[in-house]
Amino acid sequence: MASHGEEDLVASTTAGFKVGEKKTLAEYTKLDQEDESLNRWKASLGISNSPALPVDPSDTRRCIIRSLGLEVEGRPDIIIDLTAPGELEKLKSRPFAIKEGAKFRMKAVFKVQHDVLSGLKYLQVVKRNGLRVGKDEEMIGSYPPNTEEKPTYEKKFAQDDAPSGMMARGHYNAVSKFTDDDGHTHLKFEWAFDIVKEWR
């Protein structure tokens, strides 16, 4: 989409930071098995001996975003099931209504497969009348492939306050992207929301 330049959806970087050497899940599991502190570190990453979920070898995706949700204080959650055909495409044409000043947060349910996913991030750019009015970036973290014990992951983002006042009310367009330390884009989508005076 021309109105959302790719430069808007670039993750921030820390000067001097280099992504560590890539290791497979098997390499992490075998890494210094007698080292108790390293074993605690691996457990904190979720690397366990639980059987891995079966994976279709022809599906090369490392991260699959299964659903997106909007939690608004005092209202039922809105959940978009991205496994249903056409749901992602509907997001742009069916804007969410958010009451001005309401507290809300987004959440995502996702699955990791094949190998460890390093530095998953969520980026979002919001525009109104073609002008950028906000950019958010949230670090989600690093995750091993899902197991039978843990078939999906859920991440709730930081709570936010909807803008308020007559000037803030109206229609907003957004572009969001899930990316990682390797620069892979796992999902990119456009969506819209309306800031309204009262709930519809």
Side-chain angles (χ1 to χ4, degrees), residues 17 32 55 58 101:
F17 173 77
D32 294 328
V55 175
S58 66

PDB file of all heavy atoms in Angstrom, residues 17 32 55 58 101:
ATOM      1  N   PHE A  17      24.533  -3.849  19.083  1.00  0.00           N
ATOM      2  CA  PHE A  17      23.928  -5.162  19.327  1.00  0.00           C
ATOM      3  C   PHE A  17      24.030  -6.024  18.081  1.00  0.00           C
ATOM      4  O   PHE A  17      23.735  -5.583  16.981  1.00  0.00           O
ATOM      5  CB  PHE A  17      22.458  -5.022  19.721  1.00  0.00           C
ATOM      6  CG  PHE A  17      21.740  -6.354  19.824  1.00  0.00           C
ATOM      7  CD1 PHE A  17      21.930  -7.170  20.924  1.00  0.00           C
ATOM      8  CD2 PHE A  17      20.901  -6.793  18.816  1.00  0.00           C
ATOM      9  CE1 PHE A  17      21.283  -8.391  21.022  1.00  0.00           C
ATOM     10  CE2 PHE A  17      20.248  -8.010  18.900  1.00  0.00           C
ATOM     11  CZ  PHE A  17      20.439  -8.808  20.012  1.00  0.00           C
ATOM     12  N   ASP A  32      25.732 -28.257  26.813  1.00  0.00           N
ATOM     13  CA  ASP A  32      26.171 -28.379  28.207  1.00  0.00           C
ATOM     14  C   ASP A  32      25.078 -28.927  29.116  1.00  0.00           C
ATOM     15  O   ASP A  32      24.648 -28.287  30.069  1.00  0.00           O
ATOM     16  CB  ASP A  32      26.648 -27.016  28.734  1.00  0.00           C
ATOM     17  CG  ASP A  32      27.908 -26.538  28.016  1.00  0.00           C
ATOM     18  OD1 ASP A  32      28.716 -27.394  27.627  1.00  0.00           O
ATOM     19  OD2 ASP A  32      28.054 -25.325  27.847  1.00  0.00           O
ATOM     20  N   VAL A  55       4.536 -31.374  12.463  1.00  0.00           N
ATOM     21  CA  VAL A  55       4.630 -30.238  11.542  1.00  0.00           C
ATOM     22  C   VAL A  55       4.615 -30.756  10.110  1.00  0.00           C
ATOM     23  O   VAL A  55       5.285 -31.733   9.794  1.00  0.00           O
ATOM     24  CB  VAL A  55       5.933 -29.435  11.795  1.00  0.00           C
ATOM     25  CG1 VAL A  55       6.095 -28.331  10.779  1.00  0.00           C
ATOM     26  CG2 VAL A  55       5.945 -28.863  13.201  1.00  0.00           C
ATOM     27  N   SER A  58       6.115 -29.465   4.351  1.00  0.00           N
ATOM     28  CA  SER A  58       6.000 -28.541   3.214  1.00  0.00           C
ATOM     29  C   SER A  58       5.635 -27.124   3.669  1.00  0.00           C
ATOM     30  O   SER A  58       5.688 -26.182   2.891  1.00  0.00           O
ATOM     31  CB  SER A  58       4.959 -29.055   2.212  1.00  0.00           C
ATOM     32  OG  SER A  58       3.672 -29.031   2.808  1.00  0.00           O
ATOM     33  N   GLY A 101     -11.102   7.518  25.042  1.00  0.00           N
ATOM     34  CA  GLY A 101     -10.629   7.401  26.412  1.00  0.00           C
ATOM     35  C   GLY A 101     -10.639   5.994  26.985  1.00  0.00           C
ATOM     36  O   GLY A 101     -10.182   5.786  28.109  1.00  0.00           O
TER      37      GLY A 101
END
